[in-house]
PDB file of all heavy atoms in Angstrom:
ATOM      1  N   LEU Y  19      16.183  13.575 -14.121  1.00 93.00           N
ATOM      2  CA  LEU Y  19      15.819  12.162 -14.246  1.00 93.00           C
ATOM      3  C   LEU Y  19      14.880  11.932 -15.428  1.00 93.00           C
ATOM      4  O   LEU Y  19      15.014  10.950 -16.168  1.00 93.00           O
ATOM      5  CB  LEU Y  19      15.157  11.670 -12.959  1.00 93.00           C
ATOM      6  CG  LEU Y  19      16.078  11.293 -11.800  1.00 93.00           C
ATOM      7  CD1 LEU Y  19      15.251  10.929 -10.567  1.00 93.00           C
ATOM      8  CD2 LEU Y  19      16.967  10.119 -12.196  1.00 93.00           C
ATOM      9  N   MET Y  20      13.916  12.837 -15.603  1.00 90.00           N
ATOM     10  CA  MET Y  20      12.964  12.692 -16.708  1.00 90.00           C
ATOM     11  C   MET Y  20      13.667  12.725 -18.055  1.00 90.00           C
ATOM     12  O   MET Y  20      13.447  11.857 -18.909  1.00 90.00           O
ATOM     13  CB  MET Y  20      11.923  13.816 -16.649  1.00 90.00           C
ATOM     14  CG  MET Y  20      10.881  13.669 -15.580  1.00 90.00           C
ATOM     15  SD  MET Y  20       9.666  15.015 -15.686  1.00 90.00           S
ATOM     16  CE  MET Y  20       8.781  14.773 -14.142  1.00 90.00           C
ATOM     17  N   VAL Y  21      14.494  13.749 -18.265  1.00 91.00           N
ATOM     18  CA  VAL Y  21      15.154  13.912 -19.551  1.00 91.00           C
ATOM     19  C   VAL Y  21      16.155  12.782 -19.795  1.00 91.00           C
ATOM     20  O   VAL Y  21      16.226  12.218 -20.898  1.00 91.00           O
ATOM     21  CB  VAL Y  21      15.855  15.284 -19.637  1.00 91.00           C
ATOM     22  CG1 VAL Y  21      16.670  15.393 -20.925  1.00 91.00           C
ATOM     23  CG2 VAL Y  21      14.826  16.403 -19.572  1.00 91.00           C
ATOM     24  N   THR Y  22      16.914  12.426 -18.764  1.00 93.00           N
ATOM     25  CA  THR Y  22      17.900  11.355 -18.911  1.00 93.00           C
ATOM     26  C   THR Y  22      17.235  10.032 -19.266  1.00 93.00           C
ATOM     27  O   THR Y  22      17.685   9.322 -20.180  1.00 93.00           O
ATOM     28  CB  THR Y  22      18.714  11.193 -17.610  1.00 93.00           C
ATOM     29  OG1 THR Y  22      19.350  12.436 -17.297  1.00 93.00           O
ATOM     30  CG2 THR Y  22      19.765  10.118 -17.772  1.00 93.00           C
ATOM     31  N   SER Y  23      16.164   9.695 -18.562  1.00 93.00           N
ATOM     32  CA  SER Y  23      15.464   8.443 -18.852  1.00 93.00           C
ATOM     33  C   SER Y  23      14.853   8.471 -20.251  1.00 93.00           C
ATOM     34  O   SER Y  23      14.863   7.460 -20.962  1.00 93.00           O
ATOM     35  CB  SER Y  23      14.385   8.182 -17.809  1.00 93.00           C
ATOM     36  OG  SER Y  23      13.395   9.202 -17.819  1.00 93.00           O
ATOM     37  N   SER Y  24      14.342   9.641 -20.675  1.00 91.00           N
ATOM     38  CA  SER Y  24      13.757   9.759 -22.017  1.00 91.00           C
ATOM     39  C   SER Y  24      14.813   9.521 -23.091  1.00 91.00           C
ATOM     40  O   SER Y  24      14.569   8.807 -24.075  1.00 91.00           O
ATOM     41  CB  SER Y  24      13.124  11.137 -22.200  1.00 91.00           C
ATOM     42  OG  SER Y  24      12.068  11.337 -21.281  1.00 91.00           O
ATOM     43  N   VAL Y  25      15.987  10.114 -22.922  1.00 93.00           N
ATOM     44  CA  VAL Y  25      17.067   9.954 -23.901  1.00 93.00           C
ATOM     45  C   VAL Y  25      17.541   8.508 -23.957  1.00 93.00           C
ATOM     46  O   VAL Y  25      17.729   7.935 -25.046  1.00 93.00           O
ATOM     47  CB  VAL Y  25      18.233  10.905 -23.557  1.00 93.00           C
ATOM     48  CG1 VAL Y  25      19.467  10.567 -24.398  1.00 93.00           C
ATOM     49  CG2 VAL Y  25      17.826  12.352 -23.788  1.00 93.00           C
ATOM     50  N   ILE Y  26      17.710   7.895 -22.798  1.00 94.00           N
ATOM     51  CA  ILE Y  26      18.180   6.508 -22.763  1.00 94.00           C
ATOM     52  C   ILE Y  26      17.172   5.573 -23.418  1.00 94.00           C
ATOM     53  O   ILE Y  26      17.531   4.711 -24.236  1.00 94.00           O
ATOM     54  CB  ILE Y  26      18.457   6.076 -21.311  1.00 94.00           C
ATOM     55  CG1 ILE Y  26      19.658   6.844 -20.741  1.00 94.00           C
ATOM     56  CG2 ILE Y  26      18.714   4.570 -21.239  1.00 94.00           C
ATOM     57  CD1 ILE Y  26      19.905   6.591 -19.279  1.00 94.00           C
ATOM     58  N   LEU Y  27      15.894   5.746 -23.089  1.00 93.00           N
ATOM     59  CA  LEU Y  27      14.861   4.883 -23.664  1.00 93.00           C
ATOM     60  C   LEU Y  27      14.746   5.087 -25.176  1.00 93.00           C
ATOM     61  O   LEU Y  27      14.566   4.121 -25.926  1.00 93.00           O
ATOM     62  CB  LEU Y  27      13.519   5.156 -22.987  1.00 93.00           C
ATOM     63  CG  LEU Y  27      13.411   4.691 -21.528  1.00 93.00           C
ATOM     64  CD1 LEU Y  27      12.121   5.209 -20.890  1.00 93.00           C
ATOM     65  CD2 LEU Y  27      13.447   3.167 -21.452  1.00 93.00           C
ATOM     66  N   ALA Y  28      14.838   6.352 -25.624  1.00 91.00           N
ATOM     67  CA  ALA Y  28      14.784   6.611 -27.067  1.00 91.00           C
ATOM     68  C   ALA Y  28      15.984   5.989 -27.770  1.00 91.00           C
ATOM     69  O   ALA Y  28      15.856   5.435 -28.873  1.00 91.00           O
ATOM     70  CB  ALA Y  28      14.732   8.118 -27.322  1.00 91.00           C
ATOM     71  N   ALA Y  29      17.156   6.054 -27.149  1.00 92.00           N
ATOM     72  CA  ALA Y  29      18.354   5.452 -27.742  1.00 92.00           C
ATOM     73  C   ALA Y  29      18.227   3.937 -27.842  1.00 92.00           C
ATOM     74  O   ALA Y  29      18.784   3.320 -28.767  1.00 92.00           O
ATOM     75  CB  ALA Y  29      19.579   5.819 -26.903  1.00 92.00           C
ATOM     76  N   LEU Y  30      17.508   3.343 -26.918  1.00 92.00           N
ATOM     77  CA  LEU Y  30      17.304   1.890 -26.927  1.00 92.00           C
ATOM     78  C   LEU Y  30      16.181   1.467 -27.873  1.00 92.00           C
ATOM     79  O   LEU Y  30      15.898   0.278 -27.997  1.00 92.00           O
ATOM     80  CB  LEU Y  30      17.010   1.393 -25.506  1.00 92.00           C
ATOM     81  CG  LEU Y  30      18.158   1.537 -24.500  1.00 92.00           C
ATOM     82  CD1 LEU Y  30      17.694   1.130 -23.101  1.00 92.00           C
ATOM     83  CD2 LEU Y  30      19.360   0.672 -24.933  1.00 92.00           C
ATOM     84  N   GLY Y  31      15.524   2.453 -28.487  1.00 88.00           N
ATOM     85  CA  GLY Y  31      14.504   2.134 -29.470  1.00 88.00           C
ATOM     86  C   GLY Y  31      13.082   2.135 -28.949  1.00 88.00           C
ATOM     87  O   GLY Y  31      12.151   1.763 -29.677  1.00 88.00           O
ATOM     88  N   TYR Y  32      12.868   2.556 -27.720  1.00 89.00           N
ATOM     89  CA  TYR Y  32      11.512   2.603 -27.165  1.00 89.00           C
ATOM     90  C   TYR Y  32      10.777   3.846 -27.663  1.00 89.00           C
ATOM     91  O   TYR Y  32      11.392   4.848 -28.024  1.00 89.00           O
ATOM     92  CB  TYR Y  32      11.554   2.600 -25.640  1.00 89.00           C
ATOM     93  CG  TYR Y  32      12.012   1.276 -25.053  1.00 89.00           C
ATOM     94  CD1 TYR Y  32      13.332   1.097 -24.657  1.00 89.00           C
ATOM     95  CD2 TYR Y  32      11.115   0.223 -24.909  1.00 89.00           C
ATOM     96  CE1 TYR Y  32      13.768  -0.123 -24.128  1.00 89.00           C
ATOM     97  CE2 TYR Y  32      11.537  -0.995 -24.381  1.00 89.00           C
ATOM     98  CZ  TYR Y  32      12.864  -1.159 -23.999  1.00 89.00           C
ATOM     99  OH  TYR Y  32      13.270  -2.362 -23.483  1.00 89.00           O
ATOM    100  N   GLY Y  33       9.441   3.782 -27.659  1.00 87.00           N
ATOM    101  CA  GLY Y  33       8.637   4.861 -28.183  1.00 87.00           C
ATOM    102  C   GLY Y  33       8.069   5.774 -27.116  1.00 87.00           C
ATOM    103  O   GLY Y  33       8.476   5.741 -25.941  1.00 87.00           O
ATOM    104  N   VAL Y  34       7.094   6.578 -27.520  1.00 88.00           N
ATOM    105  CA  VAL Y  34       6.508   7.598 -26.652  1.00 88.00           C
ATOM    106  C   VAL Y  34       5.845   6.985 -25.421  1.00 88.00           C
ATOM    107  O   VAL Y  34       5.966   7.522 -24.315  1.00 88.00           O
ATOM    108  CB  VAL Y  34       5.484   8.430 -27.447  1.00 88.00           C
ATOM    109  CG1 VAL Y  34       4.715   9.363 -26.520  1.00 88.00           C
ATOM    110  CG2 VAL Y  34       6.178   9.236 -28.535  1.00 88.00           C
ATOM    111  N   THR Y  35       5.149   5.877 -25.573  1.00 90.00           N
ATOM    112  CA  THR Y  35       4.429   5.270 -24.443  1.00 90.00           C
ATOM    113  C   THR Y  35       5.385   4.906 -23.314  1.00 90.00           C
ATOM    114  O   THR Y  35       5.130   5.221 -22.145  1.00 90.00           O
ATOM    115  CB  THR Y  35       3.662   4.022 -24.905  1.00 90.00           C
ATOM    116  OG1 THR Y  35       2.767   4.376 -25.957  1.00 90.00           O
ATOM    117  CG2 THR Y  35       2.868   3.429 -23.748  1.00 90.00           C
ATOM    118  N   THR Y  36       6.475   4.235 -23.640  1.00 92.00           N
ATOM    119  CA  THR Y  36       7.442   3.841 -22.610  1.00 92.00           C
ATOM    120  C   THR Y  36       8.103   5.054 -21.978  1.00 92.00           C
ATOM    121  O   THR Y  36       8.330   5.092 -20.764  1.00 92.00           O
ATOM    122  CB  THR Y  36       8.515   2.923 -23.226  1.00 92.00           C
ATOM    123  OG1 THR Y  36       7.886   1.814 -23.867  1.00 92.00           O
ATOM    124  CG2 THR Y  36       9.460   2.405 -22.150  1.00 92.00           C
ATOM    125  N   ILE Y  37       8.406   6.051 -22.782  1.00 91.00           N
ATOM    126  CA  ILE Y  37       9.031   7.269 -22.257  1.00 91.00           C
ATOM    127  C   ILE Y  37       8.096   7.967 -21.269  1.00 91.00           C
ATOM    128  O   ILE Y  37       8.527   8.417 -20.200  1.00 91.00           O
ATOM    129  CB  ILE Y  37       9.402   8.214 -23.416  1.00 91.00           C
ATOM    130  CG1 ILE Y  37      10.571   7.628 -24.210  1.00 91.00           C
ATOM    131  CG2 ILE Y  37       9.762   9.597 -22.893  1.00 91.00           C
ATOM    132  CD1 ILE Y  37      10.942   8.410 -25.453  1.00 91.00           C
ATOM    133  N   MET Y  38       6.814   8.043 -21.591  1.00 89.00           N
ATOM    134  CA  MET Y  38       5.865   8.702 -20.698  1.00 89.00           C
ATOM    135  C   MET Y  38       5.619   7.882 -19.434  1.00 89.00           C
ATOM    136  O   MET Y  38       5.366   8.431 -18.361  1.00 89.00           O
ATOM    137  CB  MET Y  38       4.557   8.982 -21.427  1.00 89.00           C
ATOM    138  CG  MET Y  38       4.723   9.937 -22.595  1.00 89.00           C
ATOM    139  SD  MET Y  38       3.239  10.849 -23.022  1.00 89.00           S
ATOM    140  CE  MET Y  38       3.072  11.946 -21.626  1.00 89.00           C
ATOM    141  N   LEU Y  39       5.712   6.559 -19.539  1.00 93.00           N
ATOM    142  CA  LEU Y  39       5.610   5.723 -18.347  1.00 93.00           C
ATOM    143  C   LEU Y  39       6.770   6.009 -17.396  1.00 93.00           C
ATOM    144  O   LEU Y  39       6.585   6.094 -16.167  1.00 93.00           O
ATOM    145  CB  LEU Y  39       5.603   4.246 -18.740  1.00 93.00           C
ATOM    146  CG  LEU Y  39       5.539   3.236 -17.586  1.00 93.00           C
ATOM    147  CD1 LEU Y  39       4.272   3.441 -16.765  1.00 93.00           C
ATOM    148  CD2 LEU Y  39       5.615   1.810 -18.120  1.00 93.00           C
ATOM    149  N   SER Y  40       7.971   6.164 -17.942  1.00 93.00           N
ATOM    150  CA  SER Y  40       9.125   6.502 -17.102  1.00 93.00           C
ATOM    151  C   SER Y  40       8.937   7.867 -16.449  1.00 93.00           C
ATOM    152  O   SER Y  40       9.345   8.076 -15.291  1.00 93.00           O
ATOM    153  CB  SER Y  40      10.408   6.487 -17.934  1.00 93.00           C
ATOM    154  OG  SER Y  40      10.470   7.595 -18.819  1.00 93.00           O
ATOM    155  N   THR Y  41       8.293   8.795 -17.150  1.00 90.00           N
ATOM    156  CA  THR Y  41       8.016  10.118 -16.586  1.00 90.00           C
ATOM    157  C   THR Y  41       7.078  10.015 -15.389  1.00 90.00           C
ATOM    158  O   THR Y  41       7.276  10.694 -14.375  1.00 90.00           O
ATOM    159  CB  THR Y  41       7.403  11.036 -17.659  1.00 90.00           C
ATOM    160  OG1 THR Y  41       8.338  11.198 -18.734  1.00 90.00           O
ATOM    161  CG2 THR Y  41       7.074  12.398 -17.075  1.00 90.00           C
ATOM    162  N   VAL Y  42       6.062   9.179 -15.492  1.00 92.00           N
ATOM    163  CA  VAL Y  42       5.128   8.972 -14.376  1.00 92.00           C
ATOM    164  C   VAL Y  42       5.880   8.442 -13.152  1.00 92.00           C
ATOM    165  O   VAL Y  42       5.638   8.880 -12.014  1.00 92.00           O
ATOM    166  CB  VAL Y  42       4.001   8.008 -14.781  1.00 92.00           C
ATOM    167  CG1 VAL Y  42       3.157   7.624 -13.567  1.00 92.00           C
ATOM    168  CG2 VAL Y  42       3.117   8.633 -15.853  1.00 92.00           C
ATOM    169  N   ILE Y  43       6.795   7.528 -13.375  1.00 94.00           N
ATOM    170  CA  ILE Y  43       7.578   6.969 -12.258  1.00 94.00           C
ATOM    171  C   ILE Y  43       8.420   8.055 -11.599  1.00 94.00           C
ATOM    172  O   ILE Y  43       8.488   8.151 -10.364  1.00 94.00           O
ATOM    173  CB  ILE Y  43       8.463   5.814 -12.761  1.00 94.00           C
ATOM    174  CG1 ILE Y  43       7.593   4.643 -13.227  1.00 94.00           C
ATOM    175  CG2 ILE Y  43       9.427   5.361 -11.664  1.00 94.00           C
ATOM    176  CD1 ILE Y  43       8.360   3.531 -13.904  1.00 94.00           C
ATOM    177  N   VAL Y  44       9.041   8.907 -12.406  1.00 93.00           N
ATOM    178  CA  VAL Y  44       9.865  10.000 -11.857  1.00 93.00           C
ATOM    179  C   VAL Y  44       9.004  10.976 -11.062  1.00 93.00           C
ATOM    180  O   VAL Y  44       9.409  11.448  -9.989  1.00 93.00           O
ATOM    181  CB  VAL Y  44      10.618  10.731 -12.981  1.00 93.00           C
ATOM    182  CG1 VAL Y  44      11.328  11.968 -12.440  1.00 93.00           C
ATOM    183  CG2 VAL Y  44      11.624   9.802 -13.643  1.00 93.00           C
ATOM    184  N   VAL Y  45       7.807  11.277 -11.558  1.00 91.00           N
ATOM    185  CA  VAL Y  45       6.905  12.182 -10.837  1.00 91.00           C
ATOM    186  C   VAL Y  45       6.538  11.579  -9.476  1.00 91.00           C
ATOM    187  O   VAL Y  45       6.461  12.292  -8.463  1.00 91.00           O
ATOM    188  CB  VAL Y  45       5.633  12.446 -11.664  1.00 91.00           C
ATOM    189  CG1 VAL Y  45       4.610  13.220 -10.836  1.00 91.00           C
ATOM    190  CG2 VAL Y  45       5.979  13.233 -12.916  1.00 91.00           C
ATOM    191  N   GLY Y  46       6.326  10.260  -9.436  1.00 93.00           N
ATOM    192  CA  GLY Y  46       6.043   9.601  -8.164  1.00 93.00           C
ATOM    193  C   GLY Y  46       7.198   9.714  -7.183  1.00 93.00           C
ATOM    194  O   GLY Y  46       7.004   9.972  -5.988  1.00 93.00           O
ATOM    195  N   LEU Y  47       8.420   9.560  -7.682  1.00 94.00           N
ATOM    196  CA  LEU Y  47       9.605   9.711  -6.822  1.00 94.00           C
ATOM    197  C   LEU Y  47       9.751  11.146  -6.329  1.00 94.00           C
ATOM    198  O   LEU Y  47      10.144  11.385  -5.181  1.00 94.00           O
ATOM    199  CB  LEU Y  47      10.853   9.289  -7.601  1.00 94.00           C
ATOM    200  CG  LEU Y  47      10.951   7.808  -7.991  1.00 94.00           C
ATOM    201  CD1 LEU Y  47      12.159   7.566  -8.885  1.00 94.00           C
ATOM    202  CD2 LEU Y  47      11.027   6.924  -6.747  1.00 94.00           C
ATOM    203  N   THR Y  48       9.425  12.101  -7.190  1.00 93.00           N
ATOM    204  CA  THR Y  48       9.483  13.513  -6.799  1.00 93.00           C
ATOM    205  C   THR Y  48       8.484  13.815  -5.694  1.00 93.00           C
ATOM    206  O   THR Y  48       8.780  14.569  -4.759  1.00 93.00           O
ATOM    207  CB  THR Y  48       9.182  14.406  -8.022  1.00 93.00           C
ATOM    208  OG1 THR Y  48      10.095  14.091  -9.076  1.00 93.00           O
ATOM    209  CG2 THR Y  48       9.306  15.874  -7.659  1.00 93.00           C
ATOM    210  N   LEU Y  49       7.294  13.239  -5.781  1.00 92.00           N
ATOM    211  CA  LEU Y  49       6.285  13.395  -4.728  1.00 92.00           C
ATOM    212  C   LEU Y  49       6.816  12.888  -3.393  1.00 92.00           C
ATOM    213  O   LEU Y  49       6.666  13.558  -2.358  1.00 92.00           O
ATOM    214  CB  LEU Y  49       5.014  12.651  -5.123  1.00 92.00           C
ATOM    215  CG  LEU Y  49       3.921  12.525  -4.054  1.00 92.00           C
ATOM    216  CD1 LEU Y  49       3.449  13.902  -3.583  1.00 92.00           C
ATOM    217  CD2 LEU Y  49       2.746  11.708  -4.592  1.00 92.00           C
ATOM    218  N   MET Y  50       7.447  11.728  -3.395  1.00 92.00           N
ATOM    219  CA  MET Y  50       7.998  11.180  -2.151  1.00 92.00           C
ATOM    220  C   MET Y  50       9.079  12.092  -1.577  1.00 92.00           C
ATOM    221  O   MET Y  50       9.126  12.330  -0.364  1.00 92.00           O
ATOM    222  CB  MET Y  50       8.565   9.783  -2.418  1.00 92.00           C
ATOM    223  CG  MET Y  50       7.511   8.743  -2.805  1.00 92.00           C
ATOM    224  SD  MET Y  50       8.237   7.162  -3.292  1.00 92.00           S
ATOM    225  CE  MET Y  50       9.107   6.717  -1.780  1.00 92.00           C
ATOM    226  N   ALA Y  51       9.943  12.625  -2.435  1.00 92.00           N
ATOM    227  CA  ALA Y  51      11.003  13.532  -1.969  1.00 92.00           C
ATOM    228  C   ALA Y  51      10.416  14.805  -1.370  1.00 92.00           C
ATOM    229  O   ALA Y  51      10.914  15.319  -0.351  1.00 92.00           O
ATOM    230  CB  ALA Y  51      11.934  13.875  -3.126  1.00 92.00           C
ATOM    231  N   SER Y  52       9.336  15.305  -1.943  1.00 91.00           N
ATOM    232  CA  SER Y  52       8.696  16.530  -1.441  1.00 91.00           C
ATOM    233  C   SER Y  52       8.082  16.290  -0.059  1.00 91.00           C
ATOM    234  O   SER Y  52       8.154  17.152   0.830  1.00 91.00           O
ATOM    235  CB  SER Y  52       7.624  16.997  -2.424  1.00 91.00           C
ATOM    236  OG  SER Y  52       8.177  17.263  -3.688  1.00 91.00           O
ATOM    237  N   ILE Y  53       7.456  15.141   0.118  1.00 89.00           N
ATOM    238  CA  ILE Y  53       6.862  14.811   1.424  1.00 89.00           C
ATOM    239  C   ILE Y  53       7.947  14.762   2.502  1.00 89.00           C
ATOM    240  O   ILE Y  53       7.790  15.320   3.595  1.00 89.00           O
ATOM    241  CB  ILE Y  53       6.114  13.471   1.343  1.00 89.00           C
ATOM    242  CG1 ILE Y  53       4.896  13.597   0.420  1.00 89.00           C
ATOM    243  CG2 ILE Y  53       5.676  13.010   2.733  1.00 89.00           C
ATOM    244  CD1 ILE Y  53       4.208  12.275   0.132  1.00 89.00           C
ATOM    245  N   ILE Y  54       9.059  14.104   2.188  1.00 89.00           N
ATOM    246  CA  ILE Y  54      10.161  13.992   3.152  1.00 89.00           C
ATOM    247  C   ILE Y  54      10.710  15.367   3.514  1.00 89.00           C
ATOM    248  O   ILE Y  54      10.984  15.672   4.691  1.00 89.00           O
ATOM    249  CB  ILE Y  54      11.275  13.098   2.572  1.00 89.00           C
ATOM    250  CG1 ILE Y  54      10.773  11.654   2.433  1.00 89.00           C
ATOM    251  CG2 ILE Y  54      12.525  13.145   3.461  1.00 89.00           C
ATOM    252  CD1 ILE Y  54      11.730  10.745   1.675  1.00 89.00           C
ATOM    253  N   ALA Y  55      10.849  16.238   2.520  1.00 88.00           N
ATOM    254  CA  ALA Y  55      11.394  17.581   2.762  1.00 88.00           C
ATOM    255  C   ALA Y  55      10.496  18.392   3.687  1.00 88.00           C
ATOM    256  O   ALA Y  55      10.970  19.057   4.618  1.00 88.00           O
ATOM    257  CB  ALA Y  55      11.586  18.305   1.432  1.00 88.00           C
ATOM    258  N   VAL Y  56       9.171  18.354   3.454  1.00 86.00           N
ATOM    259  CA  VAL Y  56       8.244  19.121   4.289  1.00 86.00           C
ATOM    260  C   VAL Y  56       8.239  18.596   5.716  1.00 86.00           C
ATOM    261  O   VAL Y  56       8.185  19.374   6.682  1.00 86.00           O
ATOM    262  CB  VAL Y  56       6.827  19.081   3.687  1.00 86.00           C
ATOM    263  CG1 VAL Y  56       5.801  19.654   4.660  1.00 86.00           C
ATOM    264  CG2 VAL Y  56       6.785  19.880   2.386  1.00 86.00           C
ATOM    265  N   ARG Y  57       8.305  17.297   5.891  1.00 83.00           N
ATOM    266  CA  ARG Y  57       8.310  16.711   7.236  1.00 83.00           C
ATOM    267  C   ARG Y  57       9.522  17.148   8.050  1.00 83.00           C
ATOM    268  O   ARG Y  57       9.472  17.192   9.273  1.00 83.00           O
ATOM    269  CB  ARG Y  57       8.294  15.181   7.142  1.00 83.00           C
ATOM    270  CG  ARG Y  57       6.917  14.592   6.813  1.00 83.00           C
ATOM    271  CD  ARG Y  57       6.974  13.073   6.835  1.00 83.00           C
ATOM    272  NE  ARG Y  57       5.672  12.470   6.646  1.00 83.00           N
ATOM    273  CZ  ARG Y  57       4.798  12.255   7.624  1.00 83.00           C
ATOM    274  NH1 ARG Y  57       5.095  12.623   8.850  1.00 83.00           N
ATOM    275  NH2 ARG Y  57       3.643  11.683   7.369  1.00 83.00           N
ATOM    276  N   ARG Y  58      10.599  17.506   7.383  1.00 80.00           N
ATOM    277  CA  ARG Y  58      11.830  17.851   8.096  1.00 80.00           C
ATOM    278  C   ARG Y  58      11.800  19.242   8.712  1.00 80.00           C
ATOM    279  O   ARG Y  58      12.458  19.477   9.716  1.00 80.00           O
ATOM    280  CB  ARG Y  58      13.037  17.726   7.156  1.00 80.00           C
ATOM    281  CG  ARG Y  58      13.423  16.276   6.868  1.00 80.00           C
ATOM    282  CD  ARG Y  58      14.659  16.198   5.995  1.00 80.00           C
ATOM    283  NE  ARG Y  58      15.103  14.822   5.820  1.00 80.00           N
ATOM    284  CZ  ARG Y  58      16.135  14.456   5.064  1.00 80.00           C
ATOM    285  NH1 ARG Y  58      16.834  15.396   4.423  1.00 80.00           N
ATOM    286  NH2 ARG Y  58      16.483  13.198   4.947  1.00 80.00           N
ATOM    287  N   PHE Y  59      11.074  20.194   8.100  1.00 75.00           N
ATOM    288  CA  PHE Y  59      11.117  21.544   8.671  1.00 75.00           C
ATOM    289  C   PHE Y  59       9.764  22.054   9.162  1.00 75.00           C
ATOM    290  O   PHE Y  59       9.650  23.205   9.553  1.00 75.00           O
ATOM    291  CB  PHE Y  59      11.758  22.545   7.699  1.00 75.00           C
ATOM    292  CG  PHE Y  59      10.999  22.827   6.441  1.00 75.00           C
ATOM    293  CD1 PHE Y  59      10.009  23.799   6.413  1.00 75.00           C
ATOM    294  CD2 PHE Y  59      11.276  22.146   5.285  1.00 75.00           C
ATOM    295  CE1 PHE Y  59       9.331  24.085   5.256  1.00 75.00           C
ATOM    296  CE2 PHE Y  59      10.597  22.424   4.113  1.00 75.00           C
ATOM    297  CZ  PHE Y  59       9.630  23.386   4.101  1.00 75.00           C
ATOM    298  N   ILE Y  60       8.730  21.199   9.167  1.00 76.00           N
ATOM    299  CA  ILE Y  60       7.473  21.536   9.841  1.00 76.00           C
ATOM    300  C   ILE Y  60       7.234  20.455  10.887  1.00 76.00           C
ATOM    301  O   ILE Y  60       6.817  19.340  10.569  1.00 76.00           O
ATOM    302  CB  ILE Y  60       6.295  21.604   8.852  1.00 76.00           C
ATOM    303  CG1 ILE Y  60       6.574  22.642   7.769  1.00 76.00           C
ATOM    304  CG2 ILE Y  60       5.006  21.963   9.584  1.00 76.00           C
ATOM    305  CD1 ILE Y  60       5.461  22.797   6.759  1.00 76.00           C
ATOM    306  N   SER Y  61       7.499  20.789  12.135  1.00 68.00           N
ATOM    307  CA  SER Y  61       7.543  19.784  13.196  1.00 68.00           C
ATOM    308  C   SER Y  61       6.198  19.105  13.440  1.00 68.00           C
ATOM    309  O   SER Y  61       6.134  17.921  13.764  1.00 68.00           O
ATOM    310  CB  SER Y  61       8.045  20.424  14.498  1.00 68.00           C
ATOM    311  OG  SER Y  61       7.182  21.487  14.892  1.00 68.00           O
TER     312      SER Y  61
END
């Protein structure tokens, strides 16, 4: 997700700031996925 969003944003003409903002959003989504995974196998 990070690399794909970076490539798409760069192709659309956005700079480093916007690309890094998209990275922060992906990291937040990854955190949520990790929480869900741990809840499933630790009762």
